Amino acid sequence: MKKIIYDITPFTTLDYKDNLSCIVWFISCNMRCQYCYNTNIIECKDGNYEIKELFEFLEKRVGLLDAVVLSGGEATMHDLLPICKKIKSMGFKIKLDTNGTNKKIVNDLIEKNYLDFISLDFKATKQNFKSITNSKLYNNFYETLLYLISINFDFEVRTTLHEDLLDEKQLNEMIDTLYNAGYKNSFHIQNFLNVENYSNLTEAKNSINKDLLSDKLNILWRN
Ligand code: SF4
């Protein structure tokens, strides 16, 4: 059996608000974001744990953890339906962290009532998307965004900000995109962490002026 899990963080209170969770780090990703600091995970062809080892871990955590966060890498690169079915049967909530490029899996998981919350990455404007993610998947992301809004699903949108890659104008374009699509929740912006990353980025030379950002959405800054 292929080992599609790179690692399991046994518990955290930080990743899924108000829920004591573990995090499952799935291998592989269909993007290569410049600032990605999970390079070992995205390039990994074979991880460290099989799914049955995750289930064995979770069986011992019933009653101790509230939720399981599916992260990576990009979790939707894998067949999450049977995995989520089993996790839900054990009574856990599920939060999915995703770059939004696999609307079909997201749709299937939601229709089965397997997902409780989603954190959706919004990497960049349409124009900047390829240079930041090394992928041509903007339209895939946008379809997922529209889908989640259309069904009024409980989700948050988040962006990693490296100030040499996104400026105020581009952030405002992204806010406009969300606003015009009907997104009403907060827009979470997390600052780039200067740790080992895919494109060997270092601290940004530019800095943005937060006063120039649109107030169409509530912006929540992380770190
Ligand atoms: S930051 Fe980009 S490349 Fe890294 S795991 Fe997330 S989507 Fe994939």
Side-chain angles (χ1 to χ4, degrees), residues 29-33 35-38 42 72-74 99 121 123:
C29 188
N30 50 0
M31 292 183 179
R32 291 291 180 271
C33 301
Y35 46 69
C36 182
Y37 54 81
N38 286 331
I42 63 176
E74 174 52 39
N99 61 23
D121 290 342
K123 304 290 186 181

Side-chain angles (χ1 to χ4, degrees), residues 3-7 23-28 30 49-51 54-55 58 68-90 92-119 144:
K3 296 180 173 178
I4 62 171
I5 296 172
Y6 188 83
D7 201 3
I23 307 175
V24 185
W25 303 92
F26 286 92
I27 62 168
S28 306
N30 50 0
Y49 301 100
E50 294 178 21
I51 286 298
L54 169 66
F55 296 153
L58 289 176
V68 178
V69 176
L70 307 179
S71 191
E74 174 52 39
T76 65
M77 301 279 290
H78 306 281
D79 184 7
L80 292 182
L81 278 169
I83 298 171
C84 289
K85 182 178 183 184
K86 177 74 176 171
I87 294 172
K88 289 305 270 189
S89 76
M90 287 189 261
F92 297 105
K93 290 192 214 173
I94 300 179
K95 170 181 179 259
L96 174 66
D97 294 342
T98 180
N99 61 23
T101 51
N102 196 333
K103 182 188 147 205
K104 179 166 184 348
I105 284 212
V106 172
N107 181 107
D108 291 349
L109 292 170
I110 289 174
E111 287 194 346
K112 297 274 188 193
N113 281 323
Y114 291 160
L115 297 185
D116 297 281
F117 193 72
I118 291 177
S119 282
T144 302

